[in-house]
Amino acid sequence: MSAAPAGAPGADRLAALGGTPAVARRLRAAHWPVVTDLDRRAVLDVLDGQALVSDTNGETAVSRLEDRWARFCEVPECVAVSNGTTALATALAALGIGPGDEVVVPSLSFVATALAPLHQMAVPVFADVDPVHFTLDPASVAEQITERTAAILPVHLHGRPADMDALGDLARTHGLAVVEDAAQAHGALWRGRRTGALGDAAAFSLQVTKNLPTCGEGGLITFADPATAAQARRIRQFGEDIDPGRERRYLSHRLGWNHKMNAVQAAFTLSQLDRFADYEAARQSQVTRFLDRIGELPGVLVPTAPAGGSHAWHILRLRFDPAAAGLPGSAAAGYRKALHRLLRAEGVPVSRYQLRSLPRQAAIADRVGFGAGYPWAAATAAEPAPRTAVADAIIEDSLTLQKRHLAPDAGPALDAYADGFAKVFRNLDVVARMALA
Ligand SMILES: *Cc1c(COP(=O)(O)O)cnc(C)c1O
């Protein structure tokens, strides 16, 4: 741009044009996770005890966390592992998914969703997502099912449960396993049931940025069938069985890995669980208040909770439609870029999350895999071509607010972010000019 556009005068002058930012500096520090003395005590108690890993006989912080999360999700079993990615891979392995199998995954997710089937030598097949909820579009999934399909891997992306009724019907019709990627959706409800209880298995991440954090890396897997959970316990422990009250025998019964969780991680998460409901309540009220205001702005598509369920509000993704904002001449990407720049100048910490759809990630597109193209090279037939039209459009025209901006004490900051959005949308003439520049 050669000369800066004049824009509005006074308080409405955009920060990018020399005005005062809408978000005061003191509101810009974002803290997650919240760490209290109770968390510190829990970790130190583990260091003073004898049980640091999950292969210790008897009750440990790891086994207590497993029991508690199984009860919370109302499932028979939970198995703790080293992180959310190993949780996904272990769930698939426990269900017997491996070479020759295809697993249908969404085109829009964090890359681990597609890496997990590859780690089992299964081929990920990409279905498109719903343009409003960002979760697997059941119609697209139906088109991607072949005789090699073994599982559907729905992601409750950003905390919004996928359409588990329609996906469950498809799975039953075709005899497929369902593994939920619930890494972003702890505690979210679908028709009154928790994520984690909506398929054959579900993977949760406890990575420090997630809604239920540990002090580093961790993962939980929930299972509908105790026999599958028993396989997962073997898989995380070199293929061994650890029997309570009996000495370890070092007998390996199947291909396993070392995917164990340590007790420090478990104790920290157990302590966080004591406050999970309070944090959840704070998120529900302050995020709803924020979205009520943002939803009134022209051409802004805001996420919603499912009917009869809830959204965990891990990440907020907003889509921007220039035509609906009265700027039919703007291209979606240019308009989003202009909003990004102007909102950041106001102190609203919007960012892009996912710069490309999963099949466009080099790790997948290049098809190197384990070397020499495995697992793709070993498949008996080519898998269906990826469906990405909606995922690609979402990546072009949306911006996100991340977990740390939705922390329990973020209410005042979120109110200020809404002020920042309102100010930018009162200056749509500037946005339009910048979008064309
Ligand atoms: C974070 C995340 C994972 C992976 O979890 P890690 O604990 O980081 O390995 C998988 N899927 C989704 C959707 C995630 O957000």
Side-chain angles (χ1 to χ4, degrees), residues 151-210:
I152 307 176
L153 210 172
V155 181
H156 307 310
L157 195 67
H158 306 338
R160 213 259 187 207
D163 182 348
M164 297 306 286
D165 296 355
L167 295 172
D169 286 348
L170 276 173
R172 266 185 300 281
T173 305
H174 297 275
L176 311 175
V178 175
V179 176
E180 304 167 67
D181 182 340
Q184 301 188 359
H186 311 76
L189 292 162
W190 175 260
R191 310 241 182 271
R193 280 155 64 220
R194 300 259 183 220
T195 60
L198 305 171
D200 297 290
F204 293 87
S205 170
L206 305 179
Q207 198 265 343
V208 66
T209 64
K210 310 285 167 143

Side-chain angles (χ1 to χ4, degrees), residues 359-375:
R360 297 183 197 283
Q361 291 267 15
I364 289 141
D366 290 354
R367 297 195 160 225
V368 174
F370 285 86
Y374 292 100

Side-chain angles (χ1 to χ4, degrees), residues 83-85 88 109-110 112-113 155 181 183-184 205 207 210 217-218 353:
N83 60 60
T85 307
L88 281 170
S109 184
F110 178 63
T113 307
V155 181
D181 182 340
Q184 301 188 359
S205 170
Q207 198 265 343
K210 310 285 167 143
E217 309 281 344
Y353 176 63

Side-chain angles (χ1 to χ4, degrees), residues 3 7 25 42 58 63 84 88 100 117 141 155 158 190 229 267 287 299 381 390 399 423 425:
R25 206 154 282 282
S63 68
L88 281 170
V141 173
V155 181
H158 306 338
W190 175 260
V287 169
V390 177
L399 293 170
K423 183 176 168 191
F425 275 78

Side-chain angles (χ1 to χ4, degrees), residues 200-285:
D200 297 290
F204 293 87
S205 170
L206 305 179
Q207 198 265 343
V208 66
T209 64
K210 310 285 167 143
N211 278 14
L212 177 63
T214 185
C215 47
E217 309 281 344
L220 297 170
I221 322 168
T222 51
F223 289 97
D225 174 13
T228 320
Q231 289 303 319
R233 287 182 199 284
R234 281 183 166 180
I235 287 165
R236 77 167 174 192
Q237 175 76 35
F238 315 102
E240 297 174 47
D241 288 330
I242 300 294
D243 301 321
R246 195 161 171 186
E247 255 183 69
R248 184 175 170 189
R249 283 171 292 167
Y250 297 95
L251 296 175
S252 185
H253 301 286
R254 61 162 293 160
L255 176 60
W257 288 261
N258 179 2
H259 286 340
K260 297 192 295 293
M261 171 184 279
N262 80 54
V264 168
Q265 313 291 40
F268 185 92
T269 298
L270 273 168
S271 180
Q272 289 277 329
L273 260 176
D274 291 336
R275 308 193 299 279
F276 182 78
D278 295 342
Y279 290 170
E280 163 77 12
R283 230 175 8 246
Q284 290 296 343
S285 75

Side-chain angles (χ1 to χ4, degrees), residues 127-141:
D128 216 338
V129 296
D130 180 280
V132 179
H133 307 309
F134 315 133
T135 54
L136 266 180
D137 172 2
S140 184
V141 173

